[in-house]
Amino acid sequence: MKKRYTMPIITIITILILTIIFSAIYLTYLKKLTRNNTLKNLGELTKQNAAKIENTIQEHKRILETITNEIEIKKPKLKEEIFKIFERNSGRQKFSRIAIMYKDGKTITNDGETLDLSQNKEEFFKSNNIQISQSQKSQIDNQEINIYSKKITWNNEEVVILLSLDTDKYEEIFSQSIYNGNSYEYIITNEGQIIANSKNEQNGQNIIKKLEEANKENKNENLKTIEKIQKDIKNNSNGQTIYFVNGLSYYTAYQKLQNTNWYLIVFTQGKIIAEELNKILELTFIIAIIIIFILLIITTYIIITSQKQKEKLYKLAYIDKITMLGNYNFFLEEGKKFLSKYRNNNYSIILDIDKFKSFNKKYGHNMGNKLLKKIGEILKETLNNKAIICRLSNDLFGILLNTEKDIKETIEKITTKLSKIKIQDKTYTIYISMGIYKILENEYNIKKILDKTLIAHNEIKGNYNKKYKMYDKKVEEKIEKEHELESIMQEAIEKEEFKIYYQPKISTKTNQMVSAEALVRWKRNGKMISTIEFIKLFEKNQFIITLDKYVFEKVCIDISKWKKKIKNIPLISVNISKEHFIKKDFIKEYKEIAKKYGIKPEELEIEITESALISENTNYIKEVEEIKKEGFIVSIDDFGTGYSSLSILQNMPIDIIKIDKTFIDKIDFDKKGNNLVDYIILIAKKLNLKTVAEGIENEEQAKYLKEIDCDLLQGYYYSKPLESSQYEKLLG
Ligand code: C2E
Ligand code: CA
Ligand code: CA
């Protein structure tokens, strides 16, 4: 039974594993996807922020451009005028101050300070374009500043106009920065020097150094990342990458600020963006897996309950509740499998408990059931694994056995083990009988095999000396023939294959035929089928009723035909079987048929065998009285073979006794007056009954019977049963 669960459980586990694997793959894929997307997104945002910074720088440059242009066009003489131009061009709002640097480095600011920048002057004078300095401390107020500068010619002298910008101004841009301030943004030079940052950290440090410092774990992948950033910013390339610190991922994007040597580099904690998303994804997956799991549990439950249901039904259909052995259906199903597994040396055995009914009556049903169960157990114990043991019906066990040993040994073993059975400390003696059939090599039809085994078993019925019987093919052939006859009997009637023969009965007084017996014959395809055989079969299957009636009607037809031509027709006797004559109203029916052909009942004799009249402790006096009442003549056939008592004979309203052939055959001619047949005739005379001797085959017999005053003689000595036309010739 456990096997039945393996398949569904394996399926479920497989589905579960597949789901988990699939989920894991999908999750990794999604993580990667979100990571890439986040990076891309970060890159995009960085680009936008960079654009903002670029705009600001551009604006700063434009202011400086406007101021220097105006100076060069208007050519003011005084420095105060230059400061005014600065103020007019709203430079005041952006820049903290303006200054003019002379060739020697002397620098004068608009708030009246004079500084000596001779040390750095080269830098300022080296280019004609606008230059932006790195962050530095203002010498005036120690503020962190960046200086925008441009070289011009003023008052025929080369000077540099300087605008100082508080570094804070860049940092203001960061205040509306990406990811709600959860990011670190730096403006750096292409060397990595920090110019401005979003977190109020010290500027001027090198970002690369900072990253290297953060990589305390000395992670190789971090080193690679740092190297890449360093290389990229040197080569004016933009990029995105991931950086790990203490197990946390930092998404990084860097974007070159146009028209400068500067970069915007942004760091943001992966946790904040991607991991938040990953968590949702993970949760979704966990929920999905839980749902799948629940669904699987439900399905498993359904499968298991339906399996249980199936098992229940299976048990009902295949298991015998009393013995817990398989039943008839089981025998058919499993038997087939058994035979295909073990091809040779297979036997089918039917085991029957003799007088099980009496056992039940004597000890009760409960004990009967216990006996059956015990027998099942003993059989299981006795036979090895290579056997199927079933209870086919009440007290009938069916066994399929595979054994290379002599089967008789096994049978002996079973018989011995089952002869005395102990149930609850009490020992019962039981008798069993078995039918055995050796199964042929390629024989798989269990029903047919069972039939054969039953045929063998049926052969022991009533033979209590025998414990078992092997199957005999002849018996089966007989049964097969019977089946064949049964299949064609109805058709035989329709095709008029049954013919009526007449056997004369001769009067010992006149030596003339005074009567004849109608006997049926069955000729099929030119071959005679033995009358005894088909009559016995038809008595078993009740077809005899149909046939008797048919014969009776044919006889009536014949008589009516003869009557038209001939006077004084001999009395015709017809045989009737027991099944028929005990049937209600049968004689009325016969009378109707006779009437139909204008025949009086007294023109017909009905032969009933002795064994039919008196059997199973009942006699049918009433039925015979009925027949007599209708006017038919009644004879008792095969007299002497049954067990009728004289008293019954006396009360039975019969007319004729037909002495069975066996008595005729047994006549000892030297013991005249002392043969059984002498006494039968004596008694018959006493009872006023006519006598017919059957089976007279020779003159001696005929003579003897004449001498002891038997009334009629019938037998081959006078005539065999004759075809209707031949018999008609005898009538003259
Ligand atoms: P039965 O009624 O005892 O019929 C006599 C049988 O003895 C007939 O066999 C007959 O052919 C045979 N017989 C007659 N004289 C001799 C003889 O000198 N020597 C030998 N050895 N046999 C002789 P049959 O015709 O084969 O019939 C066998 C039995 O079948 C009959 O025995 C009868 O019981 C039954 N039977 C025949 N026809 C019918 C029928 O139409 N209806 C019924 N119910 N039974 C019939
Ligand atoms: Ca007869
Ligand atoms: Ca007879």
Side-chain angles (χ1 to χ4, degrees), residues 175-187:
S175 68
Q176 342 126 13
S177 72
I178 19 190
Y179 301 122
N180 301 324
N182 276 318
S183 57
Y184 298 78
E185 293 172 54
Y186 300 91
I187 298 173

Side-chain angles (χ1 to χ4, degrees), residues 2-199:
K2 269 191 180 156
K3 261 193 191 163
R4 292 163 183 269
Y5 291 118
T6 7
M7 257 325 275
I9 285 173
I10 287 174
T11 319
I12 284 160
I13 288 174
T14 318
I15 291 174
L16 207 65
I17 289 171
L18 284 178
T19 314
I20 289 168
I21 291 174
F22 171 75
S23 306
I25 292 172
Y26 194 58
L27 202 64
T28 327
Y29 167 76
L30 268 184
K31 267 187 175 175
K32 209 172 153 187
L33 200 73
T34 40
R35 195 144 95 181
N36 290 344
N37 263 346
T38 311
L39 274 177
K40 218 166 123 192
N41 197 20
L42 182 69
E44 212 45 57
L45 286 171
T46 309
K47 208 169 172 181
Q48 283 171 23
N49 254 21
K52 264 193 227 165
I53 296 167
E54 279 163 8
N55 277 344
T56 312
I57 294 171
Q58 217 49 48
E59 205 188 328
H60 294 157
K61 279 185 173 174
R62 222 181 39 245
I63 292 169
L64 180 57
E65 199 79 54
T66 320
I67 293 167
T68 49
N69 277 351
E70 210 175 316
I71 294 168
E72 278 179 328
I73 293 163
K74 290 191 176 161
K75 299 184 186 357
K77 292 276 175 261
L78 298 173
K79 60 180 187 301
E80 282 73 18
E81 277 173 89
I82 291 178
F83 298 153
K84 265 191 192 135
I85 291 172
F86 165 70
E87 245 140 69
R88 250 205 330 274
N89 282 296
S90 68
R92 248 274 182 244
Q93 284 160 34
K94 310 275 176 188
F95 295 96
S96 48
R97 55 179 65 87
I98 186 168
I100 305 163
M101 181 193 272
Y102 296 92
K103 258 261 141 79
D104 56 357
K106 192 177 114 190
T107 307
I108 295 165
T109 72
N110 59 336
D111 44 7
E113 301 277 348
T114 306
L115 305 167
D116 178 15
L117 297 177
S118 53
Q119 269 183 338
N120 310 39
K121 67 175 191 221
E122 287 341 39
E123 240 176 82
F124 291 100
F125 279 97
K126 74 177 179 214
S127 164
N128 289 324
N129 295 326
I130 292 177
Q131 292 190 81
I132 310 169
S133 78
Q134 293 182 7
S135 303
Q136 52 193 267
K137 291 271 186 240
S138 156
Q139 285 182 21
I140 300 164
D141 54 11
N142 217 23
Q143 262 285 316
E144 200 167 14
I145 53 161
N146 297 83
I147 297 166
Y148 285 66
S149 61
K150 189 169 167 65
K151 188 169 78 176
I152 55 166
T153 310
W154 177 56
N155 288 343
N156 301 321
E157 195 185 346
E158 271 198 336
V159 292
V160 175
I161 300 295
L162 306 172
L163 295 179
S164 106
L165 178 87
D166 286 355
T167 305
D168 285 355
K169 294 275 180 195
Y170 293 131
E171 291 172 351
E172 271 166 27
I173 302 168
F174 298 140
S175 68
Q176 342 126 13
S177 72
I178 19 190
Y179 301 122
N180 301 324
N182 276 318
S183 57
Y184 298 78
E185 293 172 54
Y186 300 91
I187 298 173
I188 53 170
T189 64
N190 56 2
E191 309 260 80
Q193 191 116 42
I194 300 172
I195 288 170
N197 73 84
S198 64
K199 289 279 184 209

